[in-house]
Each structure stands twice: as C-alpha cells, then as structure tokens.
Coordinates of all heavy atoms in Angstrom, one line a residue:
P157 N 71.1 110.8 97.4 CA 71.1 109.7 96.4 C 71.7 108.5 97.1 O 72.4 108.6 98.1 CB 72.0 110.2 95.3 CG 72.6 111.4 95.8 CD 71.9 112.0 97.0
L158 N 71.5 107.3 96.5 CA 72.0 106.1 97.0 C 73.4 105.8 96.5 O 73.6 106.1 95.3 CB 71.1 104.9 96.7 CG 69.6 105.0 97.3 CD1 68.8 103.8 96.8 CD2 69.6 105.2 98.8
N159 N 74.2 105.3 97.3 CA 75.5 104.8 96.9 C 75.3 103.5 96.1 O 74.7 102.6 96.6 CB 76.4 104.5 98.1 CG 77.7 104.0 97.8 OD1 77.9 103.3 96.8 ND2 78.7 104.3 98.7
P160 N 75.7 103.5 94.8 CA 75.4 102.3 94.0 C 76.2 101.1 94.5 O 75.8 100.0 94.1 CB 75.9 102.8 92.6 CG 76.9 103.9 92.8 CD 76.5 104.5 94.1
L161 N 77.2 101.2 95.3 CA 77.9 100.1 95.8 C 77.3 99.4 97.0 O 77.3 98.2 97.2 CB 79.4 100.4 96.1 CG 80.2 101.0 94.9 CD1 81.6 101.4 95.4 CD2 80.3 99.9 93.8
T162 N 76.7 100.3 97.8 CA 76.1 99.8 99.1 C 74.6 99.8 99.1 O 73.9 99.1 99.9 CB 76.5 100.7 100.3 OG1 76.0 102.0 100.1 CG2 78.1 100.7 100.4
G163 N 74.0 100.6 98.2 CA 72.5 100.7 98.2 C 72.0 101.6 99.3 O 70.8 101.8 99.5
K164 N 72.9 102.2 100.1 CA 72.5 103.1 101.2 C 72.7 104.5 100.8 O 73.5 104.8 99.9 CB 73.4 102.7 102.4 CG 73.1 101.3 102.9 CD 74.0 101.0 104.1 CE 73.7 99.6 104.6 NZ 74.6 99.2 105.7
P165 N 72.1 105.5 101.5 CA 72.3 106.9 101.2 C 73.8 107.3 101.3 O 74.5 106.8 102.2 CB 71.4 107.6 102.2 CG 70.4 106.6 102.6 CD 71.1 105.3 102.5
I166 N 74.2 108.2 100.4 CA 75.6 108.6 100.5 C 75.8 109.3 101.9 O 74.9 109.9 102.5 CB 76.0 109.6 99.4 CG1 75.1 110.8 99.4 CG2 75.9 108.9 98.0 CD1 75.6 112.0 98.7
D167 N 77.0 109.3 102.4 CA 77.3 109.9 103.6 C 78.5 110.9 103.5 O 79.0 111.3 104.6 CB 77.5 108.9 104.7 CG 78.6 107.9 104.4 OD1 79.3 108.1 103.4 OD2 78.8 107.0 105.2
S168 N 78.9 111.1 102.3 CA 80.0 112.1 102.1 C 79.8 112.8 100.8 O 79.2 112.3 99.9 CB 81.4 111.4 102.2 OG 81.5 110.5 101.2
W169 N 80.4 114.0 100.7 CA 80.3 114.8 99.5 C 81.5 115.8 99.6 O 82.2 115.9 100.6 CB 79.0 115.5 99.4 CG 78.6 116.2 100.7 CD1 78.9 117.4 101.1 CD2 77.7 115.6 101.7 NE1 78.3 117.6 102.3 CE2 77.6 116.5 102.7 CE3 77.1 114.3 101.8 CZ2 76.9 116.3 103.9 CZ3 76.4 114.1 103.0 CH2 76.3 115.1 104.0
Y170 N 81.6 116.6 98.5 CA 82.7 117.6 98.5 C 82.2 118.8 99.4 O 81.1 119.3 99.3 CB 82.9 118.1 97.1 CG 83.7 117.1 96.3 CD1 82.9 116.1 95.6 CD2 85.0 117.0 96.2 CE1 83.6 115.2 94.8 CE2 85.7 116.1 95.5 CZ 85.0 115.1 94.8 OH 85.6 114.2 94.0
L171 N 83.1 119.1 100.3 CA 82.8 120.2 101.2 C 83.2 121.5 100.6 O 83.9 121.5 99.5 CB 83.6 120.0 102.5 CG 83.3 118.7 103.3 CD1 84.2 118.5 104.5 CD2 81.8 118.7 103.7
P172 N 82.8 122.7 101.1 CA 83.2 124.0 100.5 C 84.7 124.1 100.3 O 85.5 123.7 101.1 CB 82.7 125.0 101.6 CG 81.6 124.3 102.3 CD 82.0 122.8 102.3
G173 N 85.0 124.5 99.1 CA 86.4 124.6 98.7 C 87.1 123.4 98.2 O 88.2 123.5 97.6
Q174 N 86.5 122.2 98.3 CA 87.1 121.0 97.8 C 86.8 120.8 96.3 O 85.7 121.2 95.9 CB 86.6 119.8 98.6 CG 87.1 119.7 100.0 CD 86.6 118.4 100.6 OE1 85.5 117.9 100.4 NE2 87.5 117.8 101.5
T175 N 87.8 120.3 95.6 CA 87.6 120.0 94.2 C 88.0 118.5 93.9 O 88.7 117.9 94.8 CB 88.4 120.9 93.3 OG1 89.8 120.7 93.6 CG2 88.0 122.4 93.5
W176 N 87.7 118.0 92.8 CA 88.1 116.7 92.4 C 89.7 116.6 92.5 O 90.2 115.7 93.1 CB 87.6 116.4 91.0 CG 88.2 115.2 90.3 CD1 89.2 115.1 89.4 CD2 87.8 113.8 90.5 NE1 89.5 113.9 89.0 CE2 88.7 113.0 89.7 CE3 86.9 113.2 91.3 CZ2 88.6 111.6 89.6 CZ3 86.8 111.8 91.2 CH2 87.6 111.0 90.4
T177 N 90.4 117.5 91.8 CA 91.8 117.4 91.8 C 92.4 117.7 93.2 O 93.5 117.2 93.5 CB 92.4 118.3 90.7 OG1 91.9 119.6 90.9 CG2 92.1 117.8 89.3
G178 N 91.8 118.6 93.9 CA 92.3 118.9 95.3 C 92.2 117.7 96.2 O 93.0 117.5 97.0
V179 N 91.1 116.9 96.1 CA 90.9 115.7 96.9 C 91.8 114.6 96.5 O 92.5 113.9 97.3 CB 89.4 115.3 97.0 CG1 89.2 114.0 97.7 CG2 88.6 116.4 97.7
F180 N 91.8 114.3 95.2 CA 92.5 113.1 94.7 C 93.9 113.4 94.2 O 94.7 112.5 93.9 CB 91.7 112.4 93.6 CG 90.5 111.8 94.1 CD1 89.3 112.4 94.1 CD2 90.5 110.5 94.7 CE1 88.1 111.8 94.6 CE2 89.4 109.9 95.2 CZ 88.2 110.6 95.2
E181 N 94.3 114.7 94.2 CA 95.7 115.1 93.8 C 96.2 114.4 92.6 O 95.6 114.4 91.5 CB 96.6 115.0 95.0 CG 96.1 115.8 96.2 CD 96.9 115.6 97.5 OE1 97.6 114.6 97.6 OE2 96.8 116.6 98.3
D182 N 97.4 113.7 92.7 CA 98.1 113.1 91.6 C 97.3 112.0 91.0 O 97.5 111.6 89.8 CB 99.4 112.6 92.0 CG 100.4 113.7 92.4 OD1 100.2 114.8 92.0 OD2 101.4 113.4 93.0
L183 N 96.3 111.4 91.7 CA 95.5 110.3 91.1 C 94.3 110.7 90.3 O 93.7 109.9 89.6 CB 95.0 109.4 92.3 CG 96.1 108.5 92.9 CD1 95.5 107.7 94.1 CD2 96.7 107.5 91.9
A184 N 94.0 112.0 90.4 CA 92.7 112.5 89.8 C 92.6 112.2 88.3 O 91.6 111.7 87.8 CB 92.6 114.0 90.0
T185 N 93.7 112.5 87.6 CA 93.6 112.3 86.1 C 93.6 110.8 85.8 O 92.9 110.4 84.9 CB 94.8 113.0 85.4 OG1 94.8 114.4 85.7 CG2 94.8 112.8 83.9

C-alpha cells in the first residue's frame, strides 16, 4: 500500500513479534 504522507509504497511494517505497544511503549496509548 501507499504511504498517505509520501504517496510512495510503504517501506516498513511490524516484524515478527513486534506489537503496537511494544514498538511505541509509553506513547502507544
């Protein structure tokens, strides 16, 4: 899918074992 900010294809995603709260930690909520 395209990145809505750049109009270019996404180049990152959650890797195996990563979660929203695991990546963003205290800022997630």
Side-chain angles (χ1 to χ4, degrees):
L158 300 179
N159 177 328
L161 300 176
T162 66
K164 297 178 182 177
I166 61 158
D167 58 5
S168 65
W169 47 85
Y170 289 87
L171 300 175
Q174 289 182 323
T175 63
W176 168 261
T177 53
V179 170
F180 290 97
E181 299 175 339
D182 292 343
L183 287 177
T185 301

